[in-house]
Amino acid sequence: TLFDELLNMLEGDLCIDSSRVFSSGFSYGSMFTNGLSRNHQAVLRAVAVYETADVNIWVPEPKNLPIAWMGVQGLSDGLCTPAMGRSARDLALKHNSAAGKDATKETAQEYTGGNHLCYNYKDVDTRFPVRWCTDNAGHIWDHKDPGQSQTWVPATTWDFFTQF
């Protein structure tokens, strides 16, 4: 209800391109965004979640529709564990599979050392890409590559959103 009322207010008061509404969040905010990705595909073009889980908060029944989805996961996160992030990602993959393909069977490359790694799934409908970014961080939003002072997360998210 909060999201729906906020979007209605913004669309009523501002000039909004309703074909490009996005949501992103970290931790609890990512769980909220992940929940929206399950039943707001008609209004959200894409979501980006940082350290997410598909448990712990209100999780609506999925409408079983595709949505462009990006996840950032620190493989050392002990709060929103990698398994929880993968579970959220796998639901998006289930609904984004390309005709005749099962994207849930595709194995993503994940961080094994050095800089972060982003994997773009190939067995998804190209209108609804899924990107999975991992590194060795814990429960943080501003992931940084070794030796870097700036986070790579905002630029990677911007790259994902601006393709639409």
Side-chain angles (χ1 to χ4, degrees), residues 20 57 63 70 80 94 121 127-128 134 163-164:
R20 290 182 177 86
I57 64 164
K63 288 190 175 180
M70 179 183 133
C80 291
K94 177 181 175 185
Y121 278 81
R127 297 171 299 164
F128 305 103
T134 55
Q163 68 184 306
F164 304 110

Side-chain angles (χ1 to χ4, degrees), residues 105-126:
K105 302 293 184 197
E106 186 178 339
T107 302
Q109 297 172 9
E110 291 190 348
Y111 170 86
T112 57
N115 292 338
H116 74 281
L117 179 65
C118 288
Y119 182 80
N120 297 307
Y121 278 81
K122 294 160 187 55
D123 291 342
V124 295
D125 184 324
T126 56

